[in-house]
Amino acid sequence: MPAGPEHSNPAKRMRLFIQDLAAKHHFQPTRLLEMLREIQARDHHISNEAVELLAKALQIPRTRIIDAVEFYNFFSSTPKGRYELLISDSITDRMLGKDALIEYMAEKLRVPVGGVRNDGLVSLDNTSCTGMCDQGPAGLVNGHALTRLDRARVDRIADLIERQTPLAGWPPEFFQAEDNIRKSGLLLGRPIAPGDALKAAYTRGLNQTLAEIDASGLRGRGGAGFKTAAKWRFCAEEAETERYVVCNADEGEPGTFKDRGLLNAFADQVFEGMTLCAAIVGAKHGFLYLRGEYLHLYDKLQAILAQRREAGLLGRGILGHNLDFDIEIRLGAGAYICGEESALIESLEGKSGIPRNRPPYPVSHGYLGKPTVVNNVESFFAAAAIAVHSGAWFAAHGTEKSKGTKILSISGDCTHPGIYEYPFGTPVRTILDDCGAKDILGAQVGGPSGTFISNREFGRLLAFEDLATGGSFIVFNNSRNILDIAHNFTHFFAHESCGFCTPCRVGTSLLRKQLDKIYDGRGSAGDVAALDEICRLVKTYSHCGLGQTAANPVLTTLARYPEAYQSRLKKISYEPGFDLDAELETARRLANRSDAAAHLSQTGE
Amino acid sequence: MTKTFILDGQPIPFSDGQTIIDAALDAGAYIPHLCHHSGYTPHGSCKLCSVLVNGRVCSACTFPATEGLEVLSHTEELNEDRKRITQMLFVEGNHLCPGCEKSGNCKLQAVGYYLGMHDNHFMHFFSPRKLDASHPDVMIDLNRCIFCTLCVRASREKDGKDVFAISGRGINKHLIANSASGLLKDTDLEASDKAAHICPTGAILIKRTGYATPIGARDYDHQTIAEVSLEQEQESHGG
Ligand SMILES: Cc1cc2nc3c(=O)[nH]c(=O)nc-3n(C[C@H](O)[C@H](O)[C@H](O)COP(=O)(O)O)c2cc1C
Ligand code: SF4
Ligand code: SF4
Ligand code: FES
Ligand code: FES
């Protein structure tokens, strides 16, 4: 036995660390992601040793832990740098010069993109959109959001890293995230005071309040647009009495950041909406599933929850009524698919985010198989306001099929990127004028999974019945190239496919390869038709919304700009993977021939 | 009165809780499938069993049968698309059938024949995949794994073990073995386990049994997968 204190032995230290960690999380496998997050933060990877110890402590198969480590982007089985740098690879970051910047970073820090420096000090890689599109190029260092990166900032960051300055000693402005709320309407202009929605609901009666939400016409703000009141009613009517309320703050759709703004500026009202839902459906436990990229909001949100407990707005006997409810915050770990509600529930259970088979739906079989309401941040935010101001107040705005307002995240080529609230039915042209967009090529409405609209369609309306959107709105001016956009989005989906079903797992990668072939100028006549065929298969047969929309970037741009694709093709009918004529060179030399008949034309008919 | 739904114009009787595919197979109507196996928890991942239920695409292996559903399965379009999905599985892995011991007994290959697949259609991935021959009696060639999870389910549901799992995301998914070394020899798998025999492809093979049944006398050499599948279905129901 070596002398010295027992914690000087790394193996023993690891054992104690894992034991304490598991105990802190009450040995609950549902909390696996939280534990893995702490191990990653400590060791910058999750070693085999950690996997073995944790599997024993939690009494789960090691394969379940290995799967989670390999599934989530923010975990890794091989060591990352002590400073883990991830740069957001959204189209908006690219438009702000991200590609040149990451190269500069790699040079400055002497680390290849996708690699770890030899001394283990720093690693650098790309990551999917971090939700800072209004203040990019953006990134993450050890999980903490970095905004407005430029060369000067990169120089200072490189210096801080070389000096091994702890993040707490970095200039706070590097981590500054602005809300950029540019236009307030019905909801943002009239936030409620903590407790008001609950008081109004109990005064009016819970059933009447559900009727108000029904009358408001509120439809889910996460994209699918399911009626919120109907979802709550279905859940309330389930025979099983253990029920859950989940707020979906995964916000992974590139170009979306309005939930980040809502949670930073109006978290109380979002939590109030969740509590209102709990009162109506009869739930005791709620979760806020916060995307890992929003770690910077975590402490602040915990403090607000603590205040609400103090104020009697959470916990036992809320406001003196027969309502016990509390909210737990769970962090994601870098997986867009976890925004899909059933994948989110799997993730809450501590597993990888694979969408479930439906039916059954979460309202009857959700978290731990119990009835669960999953709603978007903005849906809860709106429901709380409706409880105070009435359904008629909300329904007086918007269109017949889309009541009220929608909160948008606007980014790209405009002078005032940020958060805007509009009544449904607003034409795209108005939105573009407000944000200061000029010389416009088109806009991506609803993010990569939504629709690209050209500058001939600006009369179209923001509404479920015309342009539905979860909130992403990206503007492109005429200096942008359609194929760059489709290319970035198509790579995004291939990277984010969970891999469960064949059409999406294989299809999104085929789509990426096929588009790359055309994008790189290696395509020929049949290649656009082949691209179109893959799109149709992925869209039609995929298991969940990710695969079903993954072809939209290609389909919506191909329909509008076929010439953009055609012009990249070689003017031949078929382009093989190799140069036929060159392959014959050896044979020609041996036969000592150079006549025309000894050459093969590669140009087909 | 028994309940029925309509499959390609024919009434199919079903009992409560049955999926479309189970009811169809019971009634002697084949729907192509790879990840489905009667008696196992449905998975719904390969999408070969895609059918139109009242006009919407659904997986027959997970969708519950209900009274009066209008289901279309054997249409030219659906079979053409199933062929494309099968081709996706072929190009994703490395299937060199002529050199594969499973050839003739392989469901992936048989479904390819059934759907009239004559080429791979899509570009190959040529992805490097591992081989694990460490176990004394069983070997795994991941080049041929199609992620159907039948071995995972068999080990868990039938053998009462937990030998296999699928790990990772997207196109990087892969099968892993439950041992500290990651090797099959250090798991508690035995050659008699259901999990060692359930694989529809040549990914999991029993050692020293190769070519015991000669080429020409194998499952799909003289019968289509539809015929074999329905026969096996009858046997498993003691019918
Ligand atoms: C791939 C994928 C990603 C999604 N991401 C989100 C998300 O980040 N936030 C969200 O609220 N809904 C997201 N959704 C929609 C959810 O599945 C679900 O419909 C929504 O959370 C329901 O809430 P709502 O009715 O309030 O909109 C996503 C769906 C898919 C298919
Ligand atoms: S569609 Fe894609 S993301 Fe969805 S389940 Fe299938 S593989 Fe996963
Ligand atoms: S090894 Fe065979 S049974 Fe197991 S998942 Fe792969 S293909 Fe399916
Ligand atoms: S058999 Fe139904 S999805 Fe595989
Ligand atoms: S013949 Fe299909 S995997 Fe071998």
Side-chain angles (χ1 to χ4, degrees):
Chain A
M1 281 286 272
E6 60 172 34
H7 56 266
S8 67
N9 174 340
K12 192 162 227 163
R13 234 173 9 205
M14 174 69 107
R15 242 185 354 259
L16 290 173
F17 169 68
I18 299 285
Q19 195 55 39
D20 288 351
L21 184 66
K24 187 170 102 183
H25 292 282
H26 311 290
F27 301 96
Q28 289 298 313
T30 51
R31 303 187 54 89
L32 180 63
L33 266 59
E34 321 296 306
M35 297 181 238
L36 292 179
R37 166 175 285 282
E38 290 185 43
I39 301 172
Q40 179 79 29
R42 175 185 181 262
D43 298 342
H44 303 288
H45 77 302
I46 292 152
S47 63
N48 282 341
E49 192 192 357
V51 170
E52 290 300 316
L53 290 166
L54 195 58
K56 278 211 186 67
L58 301 179
Q59 296 183 316
I60 55 175
R62 57 169 75 71
T63 46
R64 197 176 140 187
I65 305 180
I66 297 170
D67 175 31
V69 172
E70 294 189 342
F71 187 89
Y72 293 97
N73 254 346
F74 293 170
F75 304 143
S76 98
S77 52
T78 54
K80 297 279 170 188
R82 293 195 291 288
Y83 291 87
E84 286 180 59
L85 281 170
L86 290 173
I87 305 302
S88 178
D89 194 22
S90 173
I91 188 76
T92 53
D93 297 288
R94 288 187 172 210
M95 286 154 67
L96 292 164
K98 173 253 150 188
D99 281 342
L101 199 67
I102 198 169
E103 287 310 319
Y104 181 71
M105 261 177 147
E107 202 180 295
K108 193 83 197 165
L109 286 159
R110 290 172 289 118
V111 56
V113 177
V116 186
R117 203 164 83 178
N118 286 340
D119 62 1
L121 182 64
V122 55
S123 56
L124 176 65
D125 209 345
N126 285 298
T127 192
S128 295
C129 177
T130 60
M132 295 287 177
C133 323
D134 55 335
Q135 44 205 309
L140 300 165
V141 58
N142 293 351
H144 296 271
L146 293 166
T147 55
R148 284 175 296 271
L149 291 168
D150 56 19
R151 284 187 178 227
R153 223 166 240 202
V154 168
D155 288 343
R156 292 179 63 196
I157 288 174
D159 195 48
L160 289 161
I161 290 178
E162 297 299 352
R163 289 168 197 275
Q164 309 199 25
T165 312
L167 293 190
W170 289 28
E173 67 267 24
F174 287 12
F175 303 103
Q176 186 72 28
E178 304 293 343
D179 291 341
N180 290 328
I181 296 177
R182 310 273 185 192
K183 190 173 177 357
S184 298
L186 206 56
L187 298 171
L188 295 174
R190 217 177 151 187
I192 66 159
D196 277 5
L198 291 169
K199 284 176 204 152
Y202 276 106
T203 307
R204 188 192 288 116
L206 294 176
N207 281 333
Q208 280 70 29
T209 302
L210 183 57
E212 286 296 323
I213 295 173
D214 199 2
S216 76
L218 177 65
R219 293 171 63 175
R221 293 327 196 207
F226 194 80
K227 276 202 83 174
T228 305
K231 189 182 279 187
W232 294 13
R233 182 168 296 122
F234 289 147
C235 184
E237 285 168 356
E238 283 294 321
E240 174 68 60
T241 53
E242 187 181 327
R243 306 187 186 114
Y244 293 89
V245 173
V246 177
C247 177
N248 186 344
D250 196 49
E251 192 159 66
E253 188 76 35
T256 321
F257 48 85
K258 49 103 189 163
D259 292 343
R260 182 198 81 213
L262 289 177
L263 288 171
N264 193 44
F266 305 101
D268 245 308
Q269 185 167 332
V270 176
F271 292 144
E272 183 113 355
M274 292 175 69
T275 314
L276 176 72
C277 175
I280 290 173
V281 307
K284 289 197 165 34
H285 204 94
F287 293 101
L288 175 74
Y289 188 88
L290 184 66
R291 72 184 306 217
E293 288 81 348
Y294 293 169
L295 178 64
H296 67 283
L297 293 173
Y298 185 82
D299 290 342
K300 180 172 175 179
L301 292 171
Q302 288 291 13
I304 293 171
L305 287 177
Q307 279 166 24
R308 289 184 69 86
R309 283 181 203 113
E310 285 281 299
L313 297 171
L314 279 177
R316 294 190 154 274
I318 291 172
L319 290 177
H321 296 281
N322 180 22
L323 173 63
D324 302 340
F325 179 68
D326 214 324
I327 297 173
E328 189 181 331
I329 304 176
R330 291 286 188 80
L331 280 159
Y336 165 65
I337 189 60
C338 290
E340 194 282 338
E341 57 186 10
S342 66
L344 186 153
I345 290 170
E346 288 284 301
S347 184
L348 277 179
E349 293 180 1
K351 298 183 252 171
S352 57
I354 308 282
R356 294 176 176 175
N357 285 303
R358 277 153 299 173
Y361 292 87
V363 280
S364 61
H365 291 75
Y367 182 68
L368 304 178
K370 308 292 181 194
T372 303
V373 167
V374 182
N375 273 132
N376 176 253
V377 172
E378 186 184 341
S379 306
F380 284 120
F381 178 69
I386 292 163
V388 176
H389 305 305
S390 87
W393 164 78
F394 193 75
H397 303 262
T399 70
E400 180 62 33
K401 290 199 177 102
S402 314
K403 303 286 189 203
T405 60
K406 180 76 193 94
I407 301 174
L408 297 182
S409 323
I410 302 185
S411 63
D413 294 316
C414 59
T415 44
H416 308 295
I419 296 174
Y420 293 71
E421 182 181 7
Y422 286 100
F424 274 116
T426 303
V428 169
R429 189 172 293 110
T430 309
I431 300 169
L432 291 166
D433 286 345
D434 287 354
C435 68
K438 295 208 177 53
D439 186 28
I440 315 160
L441 172 72
Q444 184 77 26
V445 184
S449 71
T451 313
F452 187 94
I453 59 163
S454 78
N455 51 22
R456 289 184 294 276
E457 302 168 75
F458 293 164
R460 292 184 63 178
L461 308 181
L462 177 69
F464 287 107
E465 61 272 27
D466 188 358
L467 285 171
T469 170
S472 175
F473 192 103
I474 309 175
V475 186
F476 300 97
N477 69 24
N478 279 311
S479 74
R480 308 297 176 185
N481 184 307
I482 284 293
L483 283 196
D484 287 343
I485 301 166
H487 180 263
N488 178 258
F489 292 166
T490 301
H491 278 245
F492 166 76
F493 285 120
H495 179 67
E496 296 295 340
S497 165
C498 82
F500 171 77
C501 73
T502 314
C504 174
R505 184 183 66 246
V506 187
T508 55
S509 280
L510 281 173
L511 204 54
R512 172 173 56 77
K513 284 168 187 273
Q514 186 66 23
L515 182 61
D516 282 356
K517 188 179 178 197
I518 297 170
Y519 185 80
D520 298 340
R522 291 180 290 117
S524 56
D527 279 320
V528 173
L531 184 70
D532 200 49
E533 182 194 46
I534 302 168
C535 285
R536 188 182 58 76
L537 292 165
V538 175
K539 190 183 176 79
T540 312
Y541 294 102
S542 286
H543 176 68
C544 83
L546 190 153
Q548 288 156 11
T549 59
N552 286 358
V554 169
L555 287 172
T556 61
T557 54
L558 190 56
R560 288 167 177 80
Y561 306 92
E563 69 288 351
Y565 286 80
Q566 296 296 342
S567 68
R568 294 249 179 157
L569 301 181
K570 290 192 170 183
K571 302 285 172 284
I572 51 173
S573 62
Y574 177 70
E575 170 71 13
F578 60 97
D579 184 344
L580 269 177
D581 193 53
E583 298 293 322
L584 287 178
E585 186 48 37
T586 318
R588 273 191 297 267
R589 215 175 42 239
L590 290 174
N592 200 15
R593 280 178 64 174
S594 60
D595 54 301
H599 283 275
L600 262 181
S601 159
Q602 202 150 321
T603 314
E605 260 74 281
Chain B
M1 227 186 75
T2 55
K3 297 180 185 173
T4 59
F5 64 90
I6 305 295
L7 175 66
D8 293 327
Q10 299 299 315
I12 304 281
F14 69 93
S15 47
D16 281 333
Q18 257 191 324
T19 56
I20 289 177
I21 208 169
D22 278 332
L25 292 172
D26 275 357
Y30 173 71
I31 297 175
H33 58 270
L34 280 171
C35 70
H36 165 81
H37 198 287
S38 89
Y40 288 72
T41 308
H43 196 239
S45 61
C46 75
K47 299 304 176 199
L48 224 68
C49 69
S50 296
V51 289
L52 287 172
V53 177
N54 295 345
R56 276 187 46 211
V57 175
C58 296
S59 305
C61 71
T62 58
F63 205 85
T66 50
E67 181 80 49
L69 288 182
E70 286 277 351
V71 184
L72 288 179
S73 175
H74 283 283
T75 70
E76 204 179 312
E77 293 80 21
L78 278 169
N79 277 332
E80 202 51 34
D81 289 350
R82 287 179 183 134
K83 179 168 84 188
R84 291 284 177 256
I85 293 171
T86 308
Q87 287 164 322
M88 285 185 180
L89 289 170
F90 267 92
V91 299
E92 179 190 25
N94 301 300
H95 298 274
L96 305 166
C97 298
C100 177
E101 203 287 321
K102 193 82 169 193
S103 196
N105 286 329
C106 172
K107 289 190 177 155
L108 180 66
Q109 190 187 49
V111 99
Y113 282 138
Y114 178 81
L115 295 167
M117 174 183 149
H118 299 300
D119 64 3
N120 284 325
H121 188 70
F122 300 115
M123 17 186 159
H124 276 271
F125 284 66
F126 298 120
S127 49
R129 300 259 187 98
K130 287 197 176 124
L131 204 133
D132 181 347
S134 65
H135 193 282
D137 304 318
V138 183
M139 72 154 260
I140 298 199
D141 184 344
L142 294 180
N143 288 295
R144 303 169 187 152
C145 176
I146 57 168
F147 315 110
C148 68
T149 75
L150 276 169
C151 59
V152 179
R153 285 176 277 164
S155 186
R156 232 169 254 168
E157 297 172 13
K158 309 289 172 182
D159 304 330
K161 302 180 184 178
D162 217 326
V163 172
F164 296 111
I166 303 278
S167 178
R169 187 163 96 191
I171 200 69
N172 299 318
K173 265 197 173 353
H174 58 126
L175 186 77
I176 56 174
N178 186 6
S179 67
S181 65
L183 292 173
L184 203 56
K185 73 174 165 66
D186 298 321
T187 67
D188 47 2
L189 181 79
E190 290 162 280
S192 56
D193 286 359
K194 271 266 188 300
H197 298 268
I198 193 84
C199 183
T201 77
I204 302 182
L205 295 172
I206 306 293
K207 290 183 176 175
R208 293 179 300 279
T209 62
Y211 300 99
T213 311
I215 301 279
R218 298 184 161 208
D219 287 354
Y220 308 110
D221 286 343
H222 303 288
Q223 279 183 300
T224 67
I225 192 167
E227 292 159 338
V228 176
S229 169
L230 292 173
E231 267 172 31
Q232 287 173 353
E233 192 73 15
Q234 301 303 315
E235 279 164 28
S236 75
H237 286 225

